[in-house]
Amino acid sequence: MSGTNAASGAAPCRFAHYFVICGIDTETGLEPDELAALYQWLEADRQGRDPDTAAAGENFEQSPLKRTFKSKVLAHYPENVEWNPFDQDAVNMLCMPKGLSFRTQADSREPQFHSFLITREDGSRTYGFVHTFYEEVTSPQICSAMQTLYQMHQAENPSSATPSSSSSSSSSMDSLASSLDEADSPSSSSCRSAACGGYDASRDTLYVSKALCLITPMPFMHACRRFLSQVHRAVAAAAPPPLPLESYVHNILYEVPLPPPGRSLKFHGVYEPIVCQRPGPGELPLADFPLGQTFTLLGVENLVQLFNCTLLEMQILLYSQDYQRLMTVAEGITTLLFPFQWQHVYVPILPASLLHFLDAPVPYLMGLQSKEGTDRSKLELPQEANLCFVDIDNHCIELPEDFPQFPNKPELIQELSEVLLRYGISPVGGAPPTSVPTSTTTPGSVSTRHPGLKSQQALRELEDDGRNGNLGGEQLAVLDLLQGNATLERLQALAKRTGVRVEALRGVGGEGEAQGGRTAVEEEELRNAKLNVQLREVFASRFTTMFADYEAFVIQSAPDLESWLTNREQMHNFDKASFLSDQPEPYLPFLSHFIETQMFATFIDNKIMSQWEEKEPLLRVFDGRINKARLYNVRAPSLRSSNYQRCTILKESAQAIEQRLLKIDHTAIHPHLLDMKIGQGKYEQGFFPKLQSDVLSVGPTNNKWSNRTATAQRRKDRHRQQTEHLTLDNDLKEKYMQEARSLGKNLRQPKLSDLSPAVIAQTNWKFVEGLLKECRMKTKRMLVEKMGREAVELGHGEANITGLEENTLIASLCDLLERIWSHGLQVKQGKSALWSHLLHYQAREEKLEQQQQQAESPVSNGPERRKSESSIGMPSLRASVIQDMRHIQSMGAIKTDVGRARAWIRLSLEKKLLSQHLKQLLSRQALTKKLYKRYAFLRCEEEKEQFLFHLLSLNTVDYFCFTSVFTTIMIPYRAVIIPIKKLSNAMTTSNPWVCVSGELGDSGVRQITKNVLEMTFDSAFRPHTHIDAMFKCQNLGKLTTVQLGHDNSGLLAKWLVDCVMVRNEITGHTYKFPCGRWLGKGVDDGSLERVLIGELALPNADEDCGRGCRTPDMQHSPGQTRRSSITSMGGRGYKPTSAQIQEAIGEAVNIICKHFHKPEKERGSLTILLCGEVGLVGALEQFFHNGFKSARLFQKTVFVWDFVEKAVAYMESADQMGDMQETAEPLGLTCVSLCHYVSAINSSPRNIGKDGKFQLLVCLGARDRLLIQWLPLLVECPVIQRMYEESALLRDRTTVNALIAVLQTLHDFPITLEASLVKGIDL
């Protein structure tokens, strides 16, 4: 096998894939940064200026020392690796995100370390670790070019000694750019030579940044940092390194393997050995970035909130001056997600040229470098409605509004704080770390120490020759012997203790030893590794607890992988409703949001795919942990407890790491002399030499582990070829997987290497397509779930949505609309793009309205739909975008633009006007063009039409998403009392009153003025009168009952009422409360007040046009006159048969049982089930009316209540005469209770009439579980023979016993009665 093949074949197991050097190309000289020019082009295009002229000229306003110049990859070794092709543009951009920076001797030139990562199309990652230092510029051409640029700058700005910052702009991207322009400038206190920011070639020394970079397949951050730091020390040291630099670079590229899982590895840098370790198969995956530092920077509370936002896939923007801090926090937060993985745009360091990616209308996690002293308030971002902004340097975060908290958050914070305190770290953010060094210090803080420089005698000759590759065979053997000899290392340690100086061996021995033979740096790394794993275990333990039984809810529906991938989009993979119904109540708000995320969907996809292919590593570890938890925790229900369970494996997880680092499993080959040309690579202090590429382009051919790896690879290849015909073609499978997971993230990563305007346009087009697809999926999901619920109400299938889940879906729709309105925004105003657009629209429409009023023409507020009357007497309600906005603006409880936008969306959705309102908003094209760039979603006509059509489909179902969420706001209600249509019956001289009750409370008694009698005409011009009253009170929710009454004063005190209509003036929901009875003394049952049960009135065909069809309402009831009123009013009309009556009772009880089997928050009104059209009271009234002798010739009508009163009177008289004393004790008590209840109802101050009293007795008996005890008493009472016919149901023992058995089932449920029913009853 050739050397090249060996190298590339072993690449997957090599510690590092590339060594890269970036800096200034002295041949091409100073070039302005192309990406900065492209950025200027984009901004000019956005602002409507000619982009070509804007980007052509040089920017002479800024000092050349502050300008960005083009950096270049000067060299990278090897040329290419088959497994990880070298992306030159991306690496260059991320090694030097701001391009080259220049310094003079007056400036700070401390080396800096930062990391980056590149995410490829398939989601795999490559890590880069960069050590940036300053090197003196020796090229006279570059020095004179800098001098010329500075003179031109002075000529352009003669008045300013200091460079002026770029002019302020209201545009979001300009302010971002200006915050980045001077990010590298030192603090204002340090002044440059001559004048601040000046450069004089004759007097000043010019320095330019240079970057050394290692690109690795795994994030061994500490090891790479130490290696690069040692390479830089070798360059900066007065004495040359023990071997030529090529030896160390070749060693780490080709001779240092990745540690095997669960093992540790020691390899040698220039001066000290470096140790790294890799977790075993059952442990959490590798994470080498110091989590302790992340907690120190943000504090535990902030970090848990950030973690929560990440889980809910919000847009997350990290903000810091320090690149390494950005990377540390980003990697820290994503490693805590185990077993889930971030599925969206992930750019921990966002180069200045990629700022337009902040406009992306998808979830992202990005890091933005801040300028020193920049005020956060000046930083305008394209969209903030769903943004979590993390200001790392100031230790604070800004959270989006209204999102669920992570379960057991206080207990989690407590446990994390205890772990941190054990390591001496304060849980409160912003405190300087007690021992974790911050990233801004020089790497390893070892660059200032040069061990052994003064008295390096023993190997001086060997090293001097060695640096140029001039060692002979014998001397080389001596050097190798000295560098790899354990005995000599022990001798050196002994020499140290006895005071003998053997400084020359320091190259192997390293720094001062800490306890256990480890250096201070190694101690620090061990401590960091233990802290990392313990913090991560706490989070992992939470997920193990919360998702302990997730497998039971995974739906395995496809027979093979191919059919599953093909139908992925149509399939339900997880039984969400059942899963949620099985979780503790406190977890539900968070879990219902989380299971809708892409990361959870991908996790379930991986689980399903694991039945056909190898398990994804994170899933394998997680499933192993769940199985282990089950073994220890036999009782499954305890896994679903909401009690906080602490992590039990903190100690053993830290021990595993400590054991690996104490006992090194593998040691890599030592760096050694290479077969190099003599005389090349001359050492010059402070300058990084030009390395010999021929020796670094290929690896060794006789390397044991590379051969072994290559053999293993060949074996794997053969196995893959054997199984290939059984599985899908890999490309096809990848295509399917990308499509299956592309929901809302068509662009997973920005491609860094090609940033032409054409590519950016294509990227935005992908965003538009992704948003449309996400809208289609969300509306479809909302429809399917909601219709599933309503189908149950109609008797089909099983319910599979909870109110909680519905609220989650609506919240995610609000987020989607905000992202759509944020896409391609020209100038950002306020945190909510949608509300900002609405305000522009409102201002424009109100201005037009004023102009029209001045011109005395009829007002037109858009195509305003006047709702036709949903019934006679109810005046029409104006419905317009502006009107709904005014309702929201008048709600003092909502303080922010984001809150107002969400309230407006909910209101429009509840009124079935969302699509129509948005269509109206977007019909003002001049406004849309003014607010949005050409590529914005809202300016793509075809996609916009499809989007509105998807939203229109939501009109087919009913939502109460506004009423049920804003429970404390004041709402105006209109009540209209409609008498029976005879004018004489409509008149009343008494003082009427009304009290409206809903699920959230009641309005209190509202007196109605007598003289508000209005007359309206129907379509046949027949006159109708009604009483109309307006009142305002706190949101009552869905309306359930109306109490209607009067004070019986005046001559015309009898009042025949047809119904009462009540309308919510904000949502437009109208409820009808049928009555059909008299109110007055000496008429009907003598009632002066009635409790009426309501139902939501269906809009008629005219009103519903433009809003789409709708499903029958959940509370809609058959439109017959109430049964009780038929039977009580002289027995006229339809009389049901015995069988129908018994069936009605069974159905009423059955509905009540179903009501209690629903989740508590989904149950709706029990009053309707008790007293409504098909309620229990109505059914029992019919039972009591069967065979009742109610109609008397020339006498008053007799009511069922009369029978109850006579029976009670008989019992009381029998009790006084002593007849009852012989009865059994319980029967006597039951007798007392019935008498007591009837007496309490009769002595109530309310004038509710006889039917109302019977209704109340049934409700109280059902509540207090006494009905089945009272029935036998009434049946046994002799009064029954006088008042009931022989054939009556009440006189049939078998039927009565069957009724008692049916009513017995209600004893299992806690029946509570609405206050309006039991008002004034004292028991």
Side-chain angles (χ1 to χ4, degrees), residues 560-613:
D560 55 65
L561 180 60
E562 187 167 358
S563 64
W564 181 80
L565 288 171
T566 312
N567 302 306
R568 165 71 189 88
E569 208 169 285
Q570 285 74 40
M571 285 185 172
H572 280 288
N573 292 338
F574 192 71
D575 185 354
K576 294 176 180 173
S578 302
F579 173 75
L580 289 175
S581 68
D582 215 27
Q583 302 310 310
E585 181 81 16
Y587 289 12
L588 292 178
F590 171 79
L591 285 175
S592 61
H593 275 72
F594 179 65
I595 61 175
E596 297 295 332
T597 59
Q598 191 63 41
M599 73 174 78
F600 185 76
T602 305
F603 173 74
I604 297 298
D605 286 352
N606 288 338
K607 179 66 182 174
I608 292 172
M609 285 165 60
S610 69
Q611 60 188 321
W612 299 296
E613 45 178 52

Side-chain angles (χ1 to χ4, degrees), residues 458-459 462 477-486 488-489 505 508:
L459 299 175
L462 289 178
V478 172
L479 182 65
D480 272 352
L481 171 74
L482 291 173
Q483 282 193 313
N485 195 309
L488 282 180
E489 286 185 13
L505 289 175
V508 180

Side-chain angles (χ1 to χ4, degrees), residues 133-147:
F133 62 99
Y134 285 87
E135 197 173 72
E136 187 180 333
V137 178
T138 53
S139 161
Q141 292 91 339
I142 288 175
C143 290
S144 62
M146 183 59 76
Q147 176 82 56

